[in-house]
Amino acid sequence: MAWARDGDRLLLATGSSDSVVRLWELTGPDMLTPADETLAGGDGHVLSVAWARDGDRLLLATASEESVVRLWELTGPDTLTPLGEPLTSHTGRVLSVAWARDGDRLLLATASSDSVVRLWELTGPDTLTPLGEPLTSHTRWVRWRGRGTGTGCCLPPPAATPWCGCGS
């Protein structure tokens, strides 16, 4: 699950074992209201979701057990619209997705049960382009640390790339 702010609203995206992505809105101090729409990803269990802001757009990346990453845009109060083609580069379940901004660039990291981490850059309105070679023999999760210059993905050893490493 992942939280995002959309103007005055606080949204929660959740993935589930029924292949559905659901949107929720925090409508009171202790009340979540489901959105009118649910998204059938069609790619097995939704294992990870992550929001990112790209200018005025709010994007959501979803990861599934069927080795697929999808990109969505919030195009209405309760509407997520698919963007581009699904990413199918992993050979195992995609367990984790995480966004980061590095200056003007919006980056996505994906981690899979195939022990591969892939880095992507948003290079067009609906295009994620691979960034460098896949990182092999790594963990099955990823998160980013830092902001702006020096952003890096956080992986346990051996994370021997300029992009990754969890140093203090």
Side-chain angles (χ1 to χ4, degrees):
M1 70 180 153
W3 291 95
R5 181 152 304 279
D6 182 40
D8 297 358
R9 303 177 328 139
L10 190 57
L11 301 176
L12 176 67
T14 60
S16 66
S17 61
D18 61 0
S19 304
V20 171
V21 176
R22 289 180 176 82
L23 288 183
W24 307 79
E25 182 179 351
L26 185 66
T27 54
D30 57 357
M31 180 185 276
L32 280 173
T33 303
D36 292 335
E37 282 189 44
T38 58
L39 302 172
D43 300 311
H45 299 345
V46 178
L47 302 175
S48 181
V49 296
W51 291 102
R53 175 71 60 189
D54 183 39
D56 293 337
R57 302 183 323 149
L58 190 56
L59 306 178
L60 182 71
T62 61
S64 79
E65 72 172 349
E66 298 299 322
S67 309
V68 175
V69 174
R70 290 185 181 273
L71 184 60
W72 310 83
E73 180 181 355
L74 185 70
T75 55
D78 294 337
T79 306
L80 285 169
T81 302
L83 295 178
E85 294 298 316
L87 303 177
T88 57
S89 300
H90 285 286
T91 58
R93 295 174 295 160
V94 183
L95 303 171
S96 180
V97 290
W99 290 99
R101 175 137 326 262
D102 186 34
D104 291 337
R105 300 186 321 161
L106 186 57
L107 307 176
L108 179 69
T110 60
S112 173
S113 64
D114 60 9
S115 298
V116 170
V117 171
R118 293 182 181 273
L119 302 174
W120 310 85
E121 181 178 356
L122 186 69
T123 55
D126 63 357
T127 305
L128 285 167
T129 302
L131 185 63
E133 293 297 316
L135 309 174
T136 58
S137 301
H138 286 287
T139 187
R140 296 175 178 173
W141 57 267
V142 65
R143 69 180 171 89
W144 293 90
R145 68 173 173 88
R147 291 181 179 257
T149 304
T151 295
C153 59
C154 211
L155 303 168
T161 75
W163 283 97
C164 294
C166 284
S168 45

